[in-house]
Amino acid sequence: MCGIVGYIGQREAWQIIVKGLKRLEYRGYDSAGVALVDQQHINHYKKTGKVSDLEAAAAGANLQGRTGIGHTRWATHGEPSDRNAHPHLSEDGRLAIVHNGIIENYGPLKEELSSRGHVFQSDTDTEVLIHLIADILAEEKTDLLEAVRIALTQVIGAYAILVTDREHPEQLIAARKGSPMVIGVGNGEYFIASDASPIIEYTRNVIYLKDREIAFINGGELLIKTIDNEVQTPYIQKLEMQLEMLEKAGYDHFMLKEIHEQPRSIRDCMRGRIYPQEGKVQLGGIKEYADKLRNAERIIIVACGTSWHAGLVGEYLIEEFARIPVGVEYASEFRYRNPIITERDIVIAISQSGETADTMAAIELAKERGATILGICNVVGSSIPRLTHGGVYTHAGPEIGVASTKAFTAQVTVLTLIAMYAAQLRGTLAQSKLVELLTSLEDIPTLVEKTLACDQATQYIAAEIKDATNAIFLGRGVGFPVALEGALKLKEISYIHAEGYPAAEMKHGPIALIDEEMPVVVIATQNSSYEKVISNIQEVKARKGRVIAIVTEGDTAVRALADYVIEIPDADEAFLPLLATIPLQLLSYHTALLRGCNVDQPRNLAKSVTVE
Ligand code: AGP
């Protein structure tokens, strides 16, 4: 997915747009570009690479203009290059567009436009859209707003677009379907972006544009209408986000800051939702569906990536506490598999960004077939919370690092609360057990704080494994999703190939990989599967494997076997993922650093994948 920023008002646009694009680089950073409308002319600058590369390339150029649009790209159609970078202009240079999304029917549209003499400069679907708008503007002899509206009725796919017109510097058009768009309402000026982070420092008054809406800013006035020409009343909300949450706050990287924010984010996630003394969980966002949960015959969890790993933890805990059968599905598979869904099913969709296309499509499918959809999201006002019947926000705060860390533990916390809430409703856990569990859950943020002290040990071990080409992560029970998550963290930021596996499965194949070169990370804390995991460690050692073990503090048995140990505090087995994941996050962070990788913006990745 990509990031887009627009500005129109009494200030110079360039700096506002460039600064905003830097806040959105986590969404994509293959190339960047800006178009400025000045004196009936569009000056546009675009460059492969990061926003800072664009700034360097545009140094000394004419950067005047109080209306402008900008874009930072995660390539979908057309490889990252200067010519495929946005903005794209109409052939006559009158119009400019930036776009986040995919025009699925761009091929037929391009053929039709080419047959009418249009000549294209890039391989992108976006350029087709601006040519279509220009074509309609000329053919229909209409105004730009109507030309954009007509063009969008012909588009199949997802879009968040900004369009400027050099003949009307007082106008700026924004439209969205399937990709996010936020409008910041200032005093006679407007800030438009893919999310609120480029807007927050200028105004807290925001409008979350809805799917199929078009915003038309003309001479300081804002009009919102649908692509069906129905005028909408703008609904202005107050932004809750704090600007300092978007800064690195003294940490070298957002990822490290977000790892260290986890005591707070888990505490915030539980705030107002647990009453340990009464053994009670309260989840306002789903209480309307309490009966559905009480009588649920099945829960299906749909998610992608790290959120899918959180879903696996949820499966263990919901089945353990609430005795409801749970299935965890990759959203991308679920949406195309023609799954069996009935109105008796509850579907839980997990997404940090709330914008992941596959997860949104899975929700739509389940909804069509009558299921009750509950969401677990982090970004307030994102698309998924608007698609679901109910849900629970994770309140982890903005997560900028592409590798998800605090969002994962916050998702696991919410799933733990849902599992206990359902158990409370169904009477599958005694009150005394709920009191006990909630009392220890309340203490988890303190134990997470204590666990962060393992940073030194992870730095040492990172130096030992940084030259590995492969790694394997093993765990049993709730330790298995932790192993998967640890493997994903390592591979996505250090580019070392890593696999997560159920520890018992290792002997069914992966054990053939074990040698003295490959690090084997084992979740070996003292819980119900401890003895079995020790056997697995012995199997690895018998083949000269190098074992890095996550152990309960004070452990001696594993310490006698493993090459390296990282101690974490003891806690109820159900809460193991909230603690054991921390050293794996730090291990991947330090390994990536030692390998010179870009920790916050790993190659080829984006923070939220809003395309298929
Ligand atoms: C995790 O570190 C990755 N950034 C990625 O797997 C991510 O979890 C996945 O794309 C899902 O994103 P979402 O939670 O925003 O839907």
Side-chain angles (χ1 to χ4, degrees), residues 304-307 350-356 359 384 401-405 411 485 488-489 492 606-609:
C304 303
T306 283
S307 299
I350 307 172
S351 176
Q352 186 287 130
S353 63
E355 300 296 347
T356 300
T359 307
I384 287 179
V402 166
S404 192
T405 50
Q411 289 166 348
E485 176 57 14
L488 177 59
K489 288 290 92 60
E492 71 174 329
K607 183 58 183 170
S608 163
V609 185

Side-chain angles (χ1 to χ4, degrees), residues 371-386:
T372 299
I373 321 291
L374 304 178
I376 300 177
C377 286
N378 191 41
V379 178
V380 175
S382 56
S383 299
I384 287 179
R386 284 205 290 269

